[in-house]
């Protein structure tokens, strides 16, 4: 993972939207077990996912499977809180108070004694970055987290965090978690280039399938039970779906078929081909989906420079 000694599997498994909304404990156990048995060692979570219920579910699965703690990596993220509209001012954001308390709550929900990765889920314009850096290092010194990172921060904000950390003799963020897929490329391919060159930070990217758009399943409407059909996710539907994008998906599907691949596999392989991607977070809700997604590791060699260029021309 970047310049750290931590080894993350190229594919990982996350719980956003799915845990406690689309799948129950039995399915979560089955999917995490399949992932683990296929070499995935990183499981991603956050305080805000299903208002804390996602972490509770993952904690129950980890307790049930009883895997050696040293064999897997677990993350959480702090910023949005877990109480929804009932959050009080100090129950959200990146103040020292919320970061410290949120970490304790995440550990309790996950039934763990430490987090491998702890992300600042968004930048907080109301908190000095120096306070965030100091607080994360306090958690490291207490043994409650091993590495800290950012999610959806700008390159300038990440560089400021590193500059402050260097000045104070502390650890800066070791990993960033941005959205990255065929449609969303700016941060990974433009904004963060100086960071990759000068800092060597790792990345665990989310939404490689653009919330399912890059599977082709939304080409003719929104299937019942799909992510974009869920109550409370209208904002995601509005952000994801457009006729222009669907037309591009149809063209991308033709490229995938010409390579003998499913579109979803090609989309994940596209992310894996980026040398600055440490791990691609998967979010499958069905066993067959997950097994298909895992094929990207064996299929990515089909994405030659010419194919990658053709994909970029379309999008």
């Amino acid at each position: 993972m970047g310049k750290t000694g931590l080894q993350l599997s190229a594919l990982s498994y996350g719980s956003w939207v799915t845990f406690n909304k689309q799948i129950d404990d039995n399915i979560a156990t089955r999917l995490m077990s399949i992932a683990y048995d296929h070499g995935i060692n990183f499981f991603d979570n956050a305080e805000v996912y299903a208002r804390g219920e996602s972490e509770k579910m993952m904690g129950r699965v980890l307790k049930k499977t009883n895997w050696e703690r040293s064999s897997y990596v677990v993350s959480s993220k702090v910023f949005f809180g877990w109480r929804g509209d009932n959050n009080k001012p100090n129950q959200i954001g990146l103040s020292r108070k919320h970061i410290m308390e949120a970490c304790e709550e995440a550990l309790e929900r996950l039934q763990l004694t430490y987090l491998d990765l702890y992300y600042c889920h968004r930048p907080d314009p109301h908190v000095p970055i120096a306070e965030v850096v100091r607080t994360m290092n306090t958690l490291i010194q207490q043994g409650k987290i091993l590495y800290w990172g950012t999610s959806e921060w700008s390159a300038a904000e990440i560089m400021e965090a590193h500059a402050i950390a260097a000045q104070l003799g502390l650890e800066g963020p070791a990993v960033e978690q941005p959205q990255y897929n065929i449609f969303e490329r700016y941060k990974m391919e433009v904004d963060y280039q100086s960071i990759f060159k000068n800092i060597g930070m790792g990345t665990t990217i989310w939404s490689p399938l653009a919330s399912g758009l890059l599977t082709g399943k939304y080409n003719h409407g929104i299937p019942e039970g799909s992510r974009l059909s869920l109550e409370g996710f209208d904002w995601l539907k509005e952000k994801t779906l457009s006729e222009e994008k669907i037309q591009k998906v149809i063209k991308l599907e033709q490229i995938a078929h010409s390579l003998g691949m499913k579109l979803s596999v090609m989309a994940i392989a596209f992310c894996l081909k980026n040398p600055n991607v440490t791990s691609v977070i998967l979010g499958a809700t069905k066993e067959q989906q997950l097994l298909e997604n895992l094929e990207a590791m064996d299929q990515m060699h089909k994405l030659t420079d010419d194919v990658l260029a053709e994909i970029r021309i379309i999008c």
Side-chain angles (χ1 to χ4, degrees):
M1 186 180 76
K3 288 188 175 180
T4 74
L6 186 65
Q7 302 291 314
L8 295 185
S9 49
L11 295 175
S12 43
Y13 188 65
S15 64
W16 181 51
V17 181
T18 59
F19 278 39
N20 200 61
K21 288 185 178 293
Q22 292 180 290
I23 62 176
D24 59 19
D25 280 34
N26 290 332
I27 298 174
T29 300
R30 178 62 181 151
L31 292 173
M32 284 180 64
S33 296
I34 290 172
Y36 184 82
D37 291 343
H38 281 78
I40 284 179
N41 72 352
F42 170 40
F43 299 96
D44 182 71
N45 221 312
E47 63 174 358
V48 71
Y49 296 168
R51 297 191 179 186
E53 294 301 321
S54 173
E55 289 181 327
K56 289 179 183 178
M57 180 177 284
M58 185 173 285
R60 292 191 297 269
V61 172
L62 292 172
K63 190 176 184 67
K64 182 178 180 180
T65 57
N66 199 31
W67 299 322
E68 287 185 310
R69 181 63 182 91
S70 55
S71 71
Y72 61 86
V73 172
V74 176
S75 70
S76 184
K77 307 182 196 72
V78 56
F79 183 84
F80 295 104
W82 58 269
R83 298 168 180 85
D85 294 338
N86 295 319
N87 279 304
K88 300 296 189 291
N90 287 312
Q91 294 172 336
I92 58 173
L94 298 179
S95 68
R96 178 177 287 112
K97 178 175 174 61
H98 181 54
I99 290 175
M100 298 292 287
E101 292 173 346
C103 183
E104 293 285 358
E105 291 171 342
L107 290 173
E108 182 178 345
R109 287 191 291 265
L110 287 162
Q111 302 185 57
L112 299 174
T113 57
Y114 67 91
L115 296 169
D116 300 274
L117 306 178
Y118 199 33
Y119 296 89
C120 297
H121 211 162
R122 291 294 185 274
D124 190 337
H126 306 296
V127 178
I129 289 181
E131 180 174 335
V132 177
V133 172
R134 288 181 186 275
T135 305
M136 286 298 193
N137 276 264
T138 296
L139 289 173
I140 291 173
Q141 291 158 5
Q142 292 177 344
K144 293 175 182 175
I145 68 173
L146 303 185
Y147 303 90
W148 77 278
T150 57
S151 181
E152 295 295 334
W153 283 33
S154 68
E157 290 161 336
I158 294 168
M159 290 302 292
E160 182 179 349
H162 274 280
I164 291 169
Q167 182 182 0
L168 299 176
L170 301 174
E171 293 191 36
V175 59
E176 158 66 25
Q177 187 170 119
Q179 180 177 187
Y180 181 54
N181 55 57
I182 292 172
F183 287 118
E184 292 282 344
R185 305 201 306 267
Y186 177 76
K187 272 189 165 68
M188 283 295 298
E189 297 184 3
V190 180
D191 193 35
Y192 294 159
Q193 286 306 302
S194 61
I195 296 176
F196 296 139
K197 181 179 179 180
N198 300 319
I199 304 297
M201 196 164 66
T203 59
T204 57
I205 67 99
W206 61 276
S207 200
L209 298 178
S211 296
L213 184 63
L214 288 167
T215 65
K217 67 181 177 183
Y218 296 119
N219 288 359
H220 305 289
I222 301 177
E224 185 177 350
S226 64
R227 180 168 297 195
L228 299 188
S229 71
L230 296 177
E231 183 179 350
F233 283 84
D234 291 340
W235 64 271
L236 186 62
K237 180 171 66 175
E238 291 173 7
K239 180 181 178 182
T240 303
L241 283 183
S242 72
E243 184 59 33
E244 180 185 2
K245 283 185 177 179
I246 288 174
Q247 291 306 312
K248 290 179 179 180
V249 168
I250 292 171
K251 292 178 182 178
L252 291 169
E253 213 162 25
Q254 293 170 351
I255 295 176
H257 289 164
S258 72
L259 297 171
M261 305 168 70
K262 285 184 173 290
L263 174 58
S264 57
V265 175
M266 186 180 79
I268 294 168
F270 175 89
C271 298
L272 288 169
K273 291 288 286 189
N274 187 322
N276 294 313
V277 169
T278 305
S279 189
V280 176
I281 301 172
L282 308 176
T285 59
K286 297 180 177 64
E287 184 174 332
Q288 187 57 36
Q289 284 179 331
L290 180 56
L291 292 171
E292 285 179 1
N293 291 348
L294 293 171
E295 292 176 12
M297 289 294 296
D298 296 325
Q299 300 285 325
M300 58 186 289
H301 69 277
K302 295 181 179 179
L303 270 63
T304 62
D305 290 344
D306 288 343
V307 172
L308 290 172
E310 190 177 356
I311 290 172
R312 286 190 166 87
I313 288 172
I314 292 173
C315 296

